[in-house]
Amino acid sequence: MKFTFDIESPHKQYIQITAEIEVSKAETELFFPAWRPGRYELGDFAKNVNHFQILDEKGEKVEYQKSNKNTWIVQTSNVQTITVKYSYYAKDLNAGSTFLDASQLYVNPVNCCVFTDEIYNDPIQVELNIPDAWDVAHSLKVDNNSFTAANYDELVDSPFICSGNLQKTSYTVEGTTFYIWFNGIVKPDWKRLENDFKAFTISQIKAFSKFPTDEYHYLIQVLPYATYHGVEHSKSTVITLGPSYAVFEEFYKELLGVSSHELYHTWNVKSIRPVEMMPYNFKEENYTELGYIAEGVTTYMGDLMLYKSGVFNLKQYLQEMDKQIQKHMDNFGRLNYSVADSSFDTWLDGYVPGAPERKVSIYTEGCLLAFILDVHILKHTNNEKCLDDLMRELYLNYGDKGIGVSKADYLKEVERITNQTMQWFFDDYLHGTKAYTPLLIECLNEIGIKYNSTPVKSEFAAYLGAKIVEVNEATKIAALFPNSILDQAGAMVGDELLAMNGVSIQKNADRWARYFKNEEKVLIVNRGGKLIQLELPKSDEVYYQRYYLSQMKELSQAQKATFEAWKTV
């Protein structure tokens, strides 16, 4: 199989793609990927295809019929090779997309490369017709000026950037060379970057005992506007970050965070993979409940490795945990839907807010539950083992052997390392909706970390139970705390606040709420053109709060010992 990429008119953002595919059957099914790894929702990339045609080896048209949105039935009787020609519209620039303009050709092959079952495991050749002055950032093998992949899986797991603006550096750890590529407007601080990346790389490799590949590439698209996104691959990651001026200043911590997170994915999900995704099926959804391992553990360990390696200090690490706790407490879907169910439903609505109070984030819930599990392992092994040991065993005994991990496997390995019955943890917290704040506080206490809370600054949010936002000249309710004063009074998300106790609200809702704090209140709202009166009683109850962690001033010997074991690889 061979793919050729041409860019005849970059300003139109159409990439001309030619796929040469050997066939041997009278009828051949040709597929376009329906999704991409790292984003567990349907991508429907075939919607970007234009000028589609199929020719035989003589250049004559071959008959075909589209059977569904990403499948074509091709009549290949008496045909040995088909040539599929099409244009792919590449206007989106993020860490999982394909993009073309006058400055670059950036391709995630999983977005735009067709396949058949017959040649899926055959070697693939890639040719790029690009300007001579452009470099190519990639992880593919090079053979006679062409790029090669062992099979379709490797091809679609190997994004590349072709550009005249590429900059790179490299470092080596344990025999693996790591390349850091930047594309865009950026002034890298190479020395600082290499020192920090090398530090967290050493810690991660130490935790897993070895690295899965002999080279690795960070493909970093630096953009002039605010963005933050990363996607994992076996030998690389693509990261988009911006604005350019902030990447090595106030957003440098974000660059480190996303890079450490994506590197950890090299083991966790690219190797340690849910059994339902072993192998990937690009034709349809790959449902799994184990997002709390794939993304949850990675979110937790990605940041923790920055602390374990000395790249982050404790204050910086706790700030990242603060964010996760805040997201957890502000998402009331935690009362209704488990992280396992939410993982299954990423294919339904996992990356948009969706229905209020319906679901949770596999990143946030998985992260906090991974921390709890980490401390429980320390507790039940006298600080001799931790989550690092569990993940290393999963890598060596499953991922490195190409074996998928099931829920039963994970429970078995957790119970083996703790020598404790852990069914309660799975039933109540991973696959259930039992509130785990008390358990979280208990685990934080084990390592000498204090769990703090204080009312948020917004009076409406803290004491009336509504987050408010300014939309043009209007003040509107953006979220409601369940069973808060406003919720019980019948307020609705989207209500526009007009007046309180007869006084007009004009971008000063919090001030008036504070002024009338110790009084009963009458709130007038505009709801779809109708004026609604809401009566609010006096109350001192606090609703929305800010949650943050801090190290205890004095630690017991037990806390010190557990803390040291927790922060050490």
Side-chain angles (χ1 to χ4, degrees), residues 204-234:
Q204 292 197 23
I205 292 177
K206 183 179 179 182
F208 282 103
S209 77
K210 64 178 182 178
F211 196 71
T213 64
D214 58 0
E215 66 178 54
Y216 187 85
H217 297 257
Y218 295 92
L219 309 179
I220 304 172
Q221 295 269 23
V222 178
L223 304 177
Y225 50 85
T227 185
Y228 176 90
H229 187 206
V231 175
E232 70 276 6
H233 301 279
S234 296

Side-chain angles (χ1 to χ4, degrees), residues 333-497:
R334 58 187 163 85
L335 307 175
N336 305 310
Y337 221 47
S338 72
V339 64
D341 288 334
S342 297
S343 173
F344 195 90
D345 276 7
T346 57
W347 296 95
L348 181 62
D349 65 350
Y351 298 91
V352 295
E357 302 177 22
R358 177 184 178 273
K359 63 181 181 183
V360 294
S361 164
I362 58 176
Y363 298 83
T364 294
E365 305 306 315
C367 169
L368 296 177
L369 289 166
F371 165 73
I372 290 170
L373 180 58
D374 196 6
V375 174
H376 270 267
I377 294 172
L378 288 164
K379 181 179 179 180
H380 293 301
T381 61
N382 195 29
N383 295 332
E384 291 182 0
K385 293 186 182 296
C386 63
L387 189 58
D388 285 342
D389 298 275
L390 172 63
M391 296 306 292
R392 181 171 59 253
E393 291 302 304
L394 288 176
Y395 170 61
L396 295 175
N397 296 328
Y398 293 84
D400 195 37
K401 296 179 180 179
I403 301 171
V405 177
S406 67
K407 171 189 171 183
D409 295 327
Y410 192 51
L411 173 59
K412 178 183 69 177
E413 295 300 327
V414 169
E415 291 186 334
R416 185 186 61 78
I417 200 169
T418 59
N419 198 29
Q420 299 285 321
T421 298
M422 294 293 289
Q423 188 70 53
W424 60 273
F425 181 72
F426 281 69
D427 291 346
D428 291 346
Y429 302 110
L430 293 176
H431 293 260
T433 58
K434 185 174 181 179
Y436 60 76
T437 301
L439 188 58
L440 177 63
I441 294 173
E442 176 186 314
C443 290
L444 289 165
N445 184 70
E446 291 279 345
I447 59 172
I449 301 297
K450 185 179 179 182
Y451 179 94
N452 309 283
S453 65
T454 187
V456 296
K457 291 182 180 180
S458 168
E459 195 81 14
F460 250 83
Y463 298 104
L464 297 180
K467 290 185 178 182
I468 56 177
V469 293
E470 304 294 338
V471 181
N472 297 324
E473 296 300 313
T475 303
K476 294 188 175 184
I477 294 177
L480 283 166
F481 197 105
N483 297 316
S484 62
I485 287 178
L486 274 167
D487 186 31
Q488 293 183 31
M492 293 176 62
V493 171
D495 282 352
E496 179 185 350
L497 309 183

Side-chain angles (χ1 to χ4, degrees), residues 3 109-110 113 124 126 140 149-159:
F3 285 96
V110 75
C113 289
I124 297 174
V126 177
L140 292 166
N151 49 42
Y152 188 82
D153 263 336
E154 183 177 7
L155 173 69
V156 297
D157 202 25
S158 304

